[in-house]
Amino acid sequence: MQSASPNAARRTQNPQYDVCIVGSGAGGGMAAHALTAAGARVVMLEAGGAWYASKNSQMLTPAWATPRRGGSTRIRPFGEFDACDGGWDIEGEPYTVASGSQFRWWRARMLGGRTNHWGRISLRFGPDDFRGKTRDGLGDDWPISYEDVAPYYDRIDRLIGIFGSNEGLRNHPDGVFQPPPKPRCYELLVKKASDKLNVTCIPSRLSIITQPLPGRQACHYCGQCNRGCQAKANFSSPDVLIAPALATGRLRLLTNAMAREVGVGADGLATGVHYVDRTTGEDRFVRARIVVLAASALESTRILLNSRSAKFPQGLANSSGTLGKYITDTTGTDVSGFIPAMTDHIPHNHDGVGGLHVYMPWWLDNAKLDFPRGYHIEVWGGTGAPGAGFMGGIHRYPPGGGYGAQLKADYRKYYGATIGFSGRGEMIPNADSFCEIDPSVVDRFGIPVLRFHWKWADHELNQVKHMQETFRALVAELGGTVFSQMPTKAEGYDIARGGTIIHELGGARMGADASTSVLNANCQAHDCKNLFVADGAPFVSQADKNPTWTILALAWRTADYIAEQRKAGAL
Ligand SMILES: Cc1cc2nc3c(=O)[nH]c(=O)nc-3n(C[C@H](O)[C@H](O)[C@H](O)COP(=O)(O)OP(=O)(O)OC[C@H]3O[C@@H](n4cnc5c(N)ncnc54)[C@H](O)[C@@H]3O)c2cc1C
Ligand code: SF4
């Protein structure tokens, strides 16, 4: 596909903007906020429609108010009130998976992307997470260190707001925290069991405000964060980043604009972005001096791979041949159990934020283990508002189930008597896990789609086995019974399929060496100086931490670099 626009139907839109940002999620929203504040005139292309939790969320609609009781739909797989349009399967927008591989790709199609319904677990990477190869010889080091990113973590803590506690743990850096909410009943039990087993258990770190910030109310603990917050107490890109950027008057937002490829001039520099207007099907082109891709790690990789021209036949910024390589997802597995101590409790308000109030950061020394790196533990339980599928599997509780009065009594007895643990660990990038353009499949806009290859190594399988054993020990310490058998190695120890933890990263990694990486330490393409990537694609390694706080910090850092370079006349 030639980016010099051979298609006469493609229409050019004037004027030329300073910056074109593709995508409005964590990375795109942050870049737009910082660049408009620095005085740049920005155009943003967003594939989905406009959506603001403050106006559009159904935060307090009871599940019984709709015939489907809040159950899932194709475009809302996590429930009809969930605040994310998109999912595993978007009509007319397929991706393919190579034979022998298993991979799933969650994509948002709306303003703000996945920040509308994400879990808001907001963890900084630690110093060790930027120098994995130096520590154990695996993967690669980042071209930057924790010290380079730390000032940006501080800034987003202050701007966006986060609660947590300062603990002084070496590889789990503290932040600028608001006070955390108190542990709920089941979380107090988990803390006690963790202490007994020497598993570090501390207040969670979530981007939810417990004290008001300008224009935003403090959380009132309704527990419905995944529906989006009408009080703007949790972080979503539209309310917290895009709205202030629009208020500067320097952001033009184009929704339903599906980016196809980056345009490239004869000098090899980016000229703007070709996109499809989803409402009319028309091809369009927006001109800009600088292009920032933030369409999510794998979609930005796809756009670059599809930006082929005579000068860049293998895709833009791909002279190293590493575009699409080194992709990772978080490892994950879950164990839950029936905890008799939680039955027949006195009814009281268990609500809190829409997420965990305690978690377990990685606490062990790998020298004594058969896998590298680590994982953290996320805790769940309690008595959230019932919806479709409420208490499914009640027959697993002794002597749960039956019909009529007995069933109702059992629901009351066992409601809230389940506690579960989810492991979230670090995958080492490997040569068998990558994406490329499928040579024969296009989406409904005619844009070639991605094909995924995926393989877990023993590093990940051994780590997940350790998660399973730890979670079973925790349930036993709680006096409970685990619902499932210990999975075998042949069953992959129940490791979640690649992509399903929805922390996919890499594909356009940064590095000091242009022959082994796509971007430099400022997330600027080695091959094209006015092209940047501001989502999860530049990540060199995964860490066990959820990635979004680092996506935000890097996006702000990249925006600052762009602003400096513009001031210096270099861009
Ligand atoms: C249920 C769930 C829970 C999660 N929980 C956590 C958590 O607790 N902590 C954490 O750190 N992370 C979590 N994540 C992951 C987190 O949501 C992502 O890391 C983060 O949103 C990534 O930001 P992004 O800007 O790269 O991509 P996105 O937020 O996905 O935004 C990308 C945007 O680009 C748009 N777009 C895509 N393609 C195109 C195109 N071709 N042209 C124009 N626009 C395009 C999309 O519509 C979207 O708006 C969770 C994700 C999910 C789904
Ligand atoms: S729990 Fe708090 S942050 Fe979440 S939706 Fe309710 S009020 Fe908003």
Side-chain angles (χ1 to χ4, degrees):
M1 189 177 303
Q2 293 290 322
S3 56
S5 189
N7 185 348
R10 290 183 182 179
R11 289 169 38 186
T12 299
Q13 285 191 342
N14 285 312
Q16 184 184 43
Y17 291 89
D18 295 327
V19 185
C20 174
I21 299 174
V22 179
S24 64
M30 191 69 250
H33 190 279
L35 285 167
T36 52
R41 287 178 318 113
V42 176
V43 63
M44 173 177 271
L45 304 181
E46 166 50 54
W51 201 90
Y52 294 86
S54 54
K55 296 185 205 127
N56 306 116
S57 161
Q58 298 203 60
M59 183 170 80
L60 299 179
T61 308
W64 48 258
T66 78
R68 55 172 54 251
R69 301 288 187 264
S72 60
T73 65
R74 184 171 181 179
I75 195 80
R76 292 267 172 98
F78 290 172
E80 67 178 301
F81 303 127
D82 183 82
C84 189
D85 290 338
W88 305 111
D89 172 25
I90 299 178
E91 203 167 354
E93 297 188 45
Y95 57 88
T96 62
V97 180
S99 129
S101 288
Q102 292 197 324
F103 187 81
R104 297 188 86 195
W105 188 17
W106 176 287
R107 289 161 297 165
R109 289 289 179 267
M110 69 193 301
L111 188 68
R114 291 171 286 175
T115 69
N116 291 302
H117 77 150
W118 67 309
R120 295 171 177 94
I121 299 172
S122 301
L123 305 175
R124 298 180 178 209
F125 279 29
D128 289 353
D129 299 323
F130 292 93
R131 48 188 180 93
K133 187 170 186 178
T134 301
R135 282 166 51 225
D136 58 22
L138 297 168
D140 257 302
D141 287 345
W142 291 57
I144 53 176
S145 68
Y146 176 72
E147 284 65 38
D148 293 310
V149 191
Y152 291 94
Y153 282 133
D154 287 352
R155 287 200 213 172
I156 56 170
D157 285 0
R158 289 195 183 91
L159 175 79
I160 291 176
I162 178 171
F163 69 69
S165 58
N166 288 321
E167 302 283 342
L169 300 170
R170 198 185 58 79
N171 200 40
H172 310 286
D174 293 330
V176 187
F177 294 131
Q178 294 194 351
K182 286 186 185 146
R184 289 162 284 209
C185 191
Y186 69 95
E187 289 167 328
L188 288 169
L189 289 187
V190 167
K191 167 75 178 147
K192 212 162 126 192
S194 304
D195 288 351
K196 260 304 210 357
L197 297 181
N198 293 319
V199 177
T200 307
C201 181
I202 62 171
S204 57
R205 297 167 172 186
L206 268 59
S207 47
I208 294 172
I209 52 175
T210 54
Q211 295 171 336
L213 286 177
R216 297 171 61 197
Q217 298 168 35
C219 174
H220 54 250
Y221 304 123
C222 71
Q224 301 302 326
C225 286
N226 71 309
R227 296 179 177 204
C229 184
Q230 287 172 2
K232 302 188 206 172
N234 64 26
F235 168 64
S236 67
S237 172
D239 278 314
V240 179
L241 299 174
I242 309 267
L246 284 168
T248 65
R250 287 188 284 274
L251 175 63
R252 176 153 186 234
L253 175 60
L254 297 176
T255 52
N256 291 305
M258 179 77 188
R260 171 198 293 278
E261 62 181 286
V262 178
V264 179
D267 54 4
L269 292 177
T271 53
V273 179
H274 297 273
Y275 69 97
V276 181
D277 181 332
R278 291 167 70 108
T279 54
T280 62
E282 271 184 305
D283 275 339
R284 290 177 174 268
F285 181 69
V286 67
R287 294 193 305 140
R289 292 186 182 86
I290 297 163
V291 171
V292 177
L293 297 181
S296 79
L298 301 178
E299 183 71 21
S300 289
T301 301
R302 175 189 180 202
I303 292 169
L304 288 174
L305 284 166
N306 276 329
S307 302
R308 294 181 209 158
S309 57
K311 199 169 172 64
F312 299 112
Q314 300 307 316
L316 184 54
N318 195 18
S319 63
S320 65
T322 59
L323 193 59
K325 305 272 167 57
Y326 309 108
I327 62 172
T328 54
D329 187 23
T330 295
T331 59
T333 195
D334 311 309
V335 172
S336 60
F338 162 53
I339 312 297
M342 292 297 296
T343 53
D344 291 323
H345 53 78
I346 301 163
H348 65 281
N349 186 351
H350 289 240
D351 286 354
V353 303
L356 41 94
H357 290 191
V358 297
Y359 92 112
M360 293 85 133
W362 177 236
W363 71 103
L364 292 172
D365 176 3
N366 291 100
K368 299 175 189 145
L369 298 166
D370 63 353
F371 59 89
R373 318 292 168 91
Y375 61 89
H376 71 262
I377 309 174
E378 300 177 5
V379 181
W380 38 278
T383 53
F390 163 69
M391 290 285 289
I394 193 163
H395 56 282
R396 293 180 298 177
Y397 299 77
Y403 297 94
Q406 176 65 46
L407 182 60
K408 281 189 192 169
D410 283 347
Y411 277 142
R412 289 195 184 95
K413 183 178 171 77
Y414 295 123
Y415 185 35
T418 302
I419 296 181
F421 301 96
S422 297
R424 297 289 180 254
E426 177 166 359
M427 170 189 178
I428 308 289
N430 67 57
D432 297 316
S433 301
F434 62 97
C435 60
E436 60 189 347
I437 295 298
D438 189 309
S440 51
V441 183
V442 295
D443 67 13
R444 69 185 166 112
F445 311 110
I447 307 174
V449 309
L450 284 182
R451 177 167 63 191
F452 292 99
H453 299 252
W454 196 265
K455 199 166 177 188
W456 296 117
D458 277 349
H459 299 315
E460 289 81 37
L461 294 176
N462 291 346
Q463 186 193 69
V464 164
K465 175 171 180 269
H466 193 274
M467 292 181 193
Q468 284 278 342
E469 290 164 349
T470 305
F471 303 164
R472 284 162 198 276
L474 280 164
V475 173
E477 187 59 41
L478 285 160
T481 317
V482 171
F483 289 124
S484 57
Q485 297 282 332
M486 174 74 194
T488 62
K489 182 163 189 185
E491 292 163 338
Y493 300 114
D494 203 25
I495 191 168
R497 193 187 295 186
T500 51
I501 305 298
I502 323 183
H503 288 167
E504 71 285 353
L505 296 172
R509 71 171 183 174
M510 56 159 88
D513 182 350
S515 70
T516 59
S517 59
V518 176
L519 309 169
N520 68 20
N522 295 306
C523 298
Q524 178 180 34
H526 290 299
D527 300 347
C528 179
K529 73 171 185 172
N530 65 342
L531 173 68
F532 295 81
V533 183
D535 49 31
F539 280 48
V540 178
S541 61
Q542 181 92 34
D544 73 84
K545 283 85 174 183
N546 313 43
T548 308
W549 223 235
T550 304
I551 292 175
L552 286 157
L554 290 179
W556 199 336
R557 185 171 175 271
T558 298
D560 267 9
Y561 176 77
I562 293 172
E564 279 164 25
Q565 293 291 298
R566 271 174 33 84
K567 216 164 162 188
L571 280 176

